[in-house]
């Protein structure tokens, strides 16, 4: 038997929020270079959580509000999905049958997922002898065709560029102009949720594409009256991989934050312009700082990639400069599940083995 | 310089959807056993994508519409977060300082994340010699205290029950009544997005909690006039771990779908009642069927746990019975990143090594 309620009761129990998010192209269509004839290739990416980091805010004190924009909850586990829904939709609109990228990490996963969903072939070119097959698990599962060549990553990049010029294959590495267009929507979401831009935005910087994309997004939203202010853009690099900070490319970058281990960023000049226009800064944090922030985030229930924790490490480093009652957003770019070994290697959690199987022993082991 | 637009232009460029989801307790507060004094412990779980599976729908034909409810995009990577936000919020309301569970998988990750976020200790009891440390990476990263005892899983369960009775520790295994309350919100989301319940719902069945929770959700929504129909509930088990189908516990369940490798489901009777009330069915699929569905999902850009693919394998098995133009939802319970080794072992993607580093060789390897 169905109980039918009078309508005044029903309206009371209407949910406060209605589920359903169509993906960022449909949500922000008016702000993106798409038309009604663009075939939208989507996995309903975007609308990722803006999670209050209360214990970190408490540690800083002075009424500072701290949020994590957790882009690791995108469909393939990183912010790359934002750019890839745009790049693949535009490639499909142009009639592409295949895409190519040189990447061993998050880009290859996103490229493979969206290209295969669009019915295209996905080619991933990597250096041979690259042993961490686990990092390729996603690309393989989405059905990419992976080619390992007997040379280094720079040569991979040369080959994918040449391939895209000579064969019917669209290049979806960061030189693809639609990627940043998609990525800028993360800034829109932050504003939509907070009601305005934050005062400060902390973000990991590797290739420097994402800091540029966020800035594009905030500026566009302000231009169209959706926010009143613009944030100070605080770009953080790992100390062993800090070309922007040192104003010099790094030949052999070293850091535990592999996703930002880039010695010569593609968006170098753009990033400098963002820093200056926003009255922001670039700075670096040590691997130790990064791993400390990684664990602090874990204790707040947020499991990100080590590289993502660079933003929070940056905030902690310069916290004294953040004004009272400022609103701060730290960008977390990737899901911690991408790199379980780092969690095992760097957590400081308790693991006690060989406990006798009875209540008393277990209770004692727990300190009761 | 800020360009200020006239208001009629501004209203045109209002986004079609506004980002921001407060987590399932705030969204569905009126439907959940919480009060204004319940401290809400949330990572903004829920509102997971309902992704059209177009190539699978095309394969079935006859106008059947197929969607995946991808709960692997919850904060800790599985549907367990839905139950855990409720269980931990209620534990905190009751003044708990610590929670305990016996689990080596998704439950321990969710319990650890929410408990730590709430400022509680999180105890995870596992059998010793359980070697797959990778599965514990999340719990460790969130800061759980893991105790390995020298006995099997059943003894772990006995000990956690006894612990929760004798010490100030709340048990958050599936016997916790608030877990299903949280999990039922997935059904609300499906209805909110489709405008009504689907005709058929396919769902993996291990402990049989989730099928019970979905049914609770659909029934509650129909009672309150939010949907007009109820779905046929189709519960699928793995052939080597199918106690419900065979009407007999399985002593040593075997399947590649580890998340549903359960020989004696806790919610056995409840699940039978759901099947009968919904005019649904239980059935089993082989590991081969599961891995085939796992790869099909990958090719649609969706990377789930092998166990999750059981729902799609089930749909493919009984597709002839699904009526023309029916709307079908397949529940995907966990993120594929939880188990990258399965992707590497079971993908059939191409990986070509040792290719000479020049354009011609790479083009030839790609078939150009």
């Amino acid at each position: 038997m169905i109980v039918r309620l009078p309508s005044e009761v029903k309206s009371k129990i209407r949910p406060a929020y209605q589920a359903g998010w169509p993906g960022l192209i449909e949500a922000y269509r008016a702000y993106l270079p798409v038309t009604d004839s663009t075939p939208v290739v989507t996995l309903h990416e975007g609308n990722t959580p803006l999670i209050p980091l209360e214990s970190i805010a408490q540690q800083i004190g002075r009424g500072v509000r701290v949020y994590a924009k957790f882009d690791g909850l995108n469909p393939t586990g990183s912010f790359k999905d934002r750019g890839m829904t745009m790049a693949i939709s535009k490639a499909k609109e142009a009639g592409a049958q295949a895409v190519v990228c040189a990447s061993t990490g998050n880009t290859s996963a996103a490229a493979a997922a969206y290209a295969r969903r669009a019915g295209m072939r996905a080619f991933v070119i990597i250096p041979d002898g690259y042993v961490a097959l686990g990092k390729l698990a996603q690309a393989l599962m989405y059905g990419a065709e992976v080619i390992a060549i007997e040379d280094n990553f720079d040569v991979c990049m040369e080959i994918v560029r040449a391939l895209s010029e000579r064969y019917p294959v669209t290049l979806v590495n960061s030189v693809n102009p639609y990627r940043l267009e998609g990525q800028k929507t993360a800034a829109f979401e932050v504003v939509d949720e907070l009601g305005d831009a934050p005062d400060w935005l902390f973000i990991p910087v590797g290739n420097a594409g994402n800091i540029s994309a966020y800035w594009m997004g905030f500026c566009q939203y302000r231009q169209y009256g959706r926010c009143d202010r613009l944030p100070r853009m605080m770009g953080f690099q790992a100390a062993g991989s800090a070309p922007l900070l040192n104003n010099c490319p790094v030949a052999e970058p070293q850091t535990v934050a592999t996703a930002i281990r880039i010695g010569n960023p593609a968006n170098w000049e753009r990033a400098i312009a963002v820093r200056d226009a926003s009255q922001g800064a670039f700075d670096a944090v040590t691997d130790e700082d990064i791993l400390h922030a990684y664990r602090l985030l874990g204790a707040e229930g947020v499991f990100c990639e080590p590289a993502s924790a660079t933003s929070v490490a940056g905030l902690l480093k310069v916290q004294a400069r953040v004004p009272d009652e400022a609103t701060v957003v730290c960008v977390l770019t990737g899901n911690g599940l991408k790199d379980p070994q780092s969690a095992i290697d760097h957590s400081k959690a308790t693991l006690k083995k060989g406990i006798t199987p009875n209540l008393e022993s277990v209770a004692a082991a727990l300190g009761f």
Side-chain angles (χ1 to χ4, degrees), chain A:
Chain A
M1 201 199 68
I2 306 172
V3 181
R4 292 282 177 196
L5 301 172
S7 58
E8 64 273 26
V9 176
K10 274 209 248 175
S11 73
K12 268 197 198 163
I13 52 171
R14 189 173 297 277
Y17 291 79
Q18 182 151 334
W21 172 264
L24 61 86
I25 292 179
E26 287 306 338
Y28 295 112
R29 179 173 275 278
Y31 293 87
L32 292 167
V34 291
T35 68
D36 290 348
S37 60
T38 309
V40 176
V41 181
T42 182
L43 289 161
H44 298 218
E45 60 294 315
N47 198 16
T48 53
L50 189 69
I51 302 176
L53 298 179
E54 281 165 26
S55 69
I56 291 169
Q58 216 156 27
Q59 186 178 327
I60 297 174
R62 303 182 289 110
V64 173
R65 283 174 299 276
V66 182
Y67 298 89
K69 178 65 173 167
F70 191 18
D71 248 358
L73 296 187
N74 275 302
T76 81
S78 87
F79 75 104
K80 302 283 186 182
D81 293 345
R82 295 184 180 276
M84 215 52 85
T85 183
M86 276 297 305
I88 300 293
S89 295
K90 295 301 285 188
K92 193 172 168 79
E93 184 174 12
Q97 307 277 314
V99 301
V100 67
C101 70
S103 163
T104 54
N106 292 333
T107 300
S108 67
Y114 286 81
R116 297 289 295 145
R117 184 160 178 82
M120 298 178 195
R121 294 172 72 186
F123 306 135
V124 175
I125 315 294
I126 59 169
D128 219 352
Y130 182 88
V131 287
L133 195 59
K135 278 263 171 187
L136 282 175
Q138 284 182 280
L140 292 171
M141 197 61 212
Y142 295 128
E145 295 162 65
V146 180
I147 303 290
I149 65 164
E150 293 181 317
D151 212 320
N152 63 28
F153 192 80
D154 290 339
V155 174
C156 293
M157 272 307 303
E158 281 168 33
I159 288 175
V160 297
R161 277 176 192 269
L163 261 177
S164 70
E165 282 159 15
R166 299 263 299 276
Y167 295 93
V169 177
T170 301
L171 183 59
V172 294
N173 270 99
S174 58
V175 296
N176 182 302
Y178 296 111
R179 299 253 318 263
L180 295 194
E181 289 289 331
Q183 285 173 220
K184 76 184 180 190
T185 60
F188 298 167
E189 293 175 11
V190 168
V191 172
D192 282 350
E193 192 150 358
L194 293 178
D196 204 338
D199 297 299
W200 294 49
L201 187 109
F202 288 81
I203 186 165
V205 173
N207 225 0
N210 212 25
I211 191 172
S212 310
Y214 263 92
W215 183 247
M216 279 168 58
F218 288 123
C219 290
Q220 193 175 2
Y221 244 32
R222 194 175 73 156
Q223 191 179 14
Y224 287 86
R226 303 267 317 154
C227 59
D228 290 323
R229 61 187 178 214
L230 292 170
R232 217 179 269 272
M233 301 291 286
M234 304 296 289
F236 276 80
Q237 304 206 285
S241 175
L244 286 171
L245 182 66
N246 303 325
N247 201 25
C248 178
V250 176
E252 294 198 357
Q254 296 294 339
T255 172
V256 67
T258 52
I260 55 168
R261 193 172 59 200
I262 293 169
N264 194 5
N267 296 284
W268 191 304
E269 287 169 24
R270 214 192 293 247
I272 300 284
V274 169
R275 179 196 64 189
D276 296 346
S278 75
Q279 301 176 279
F282 296 137
D283 202 343
V285 283
T286 65
D287 279 9
E288 199 180 333
D289 294 337
I290 292 169
L291 293 172
H292 176 65
Y294 177 58
R295 285 185 290 265
L296 282 181
L297 282 160
E300 296 239 23
V302 177
F303 180 31
C304 62
E305 282 195 285
S308 300
T310 303
S311 60
V312 170
L315 166 61
L316 293 175
K317 180 172 180 180
V318 303
Q319 59 179 283
R321 293 172 49 200
V322 176
D324 293 0
E325 304 193 358
T327 297
V328 171
V329 170
C330 297
V331 175
L332 305 182
T333 46
N335 197 314
L337 287 170
K338 294 253 189 181
D339 184 7
Q341 195 58 46
S342 283
I344 292 165
D345 294 346
H346 301 296
S347 97
K348 289 187 173 168
T350 309
L351 174 57
K352 290 184 182 165
K353 295 183 182 182
I355 304 297
T356 310
N358 61 50
L359 179 59
E360 292 64 35
S361 307
V362 172
L366 295 174
F368 288 115

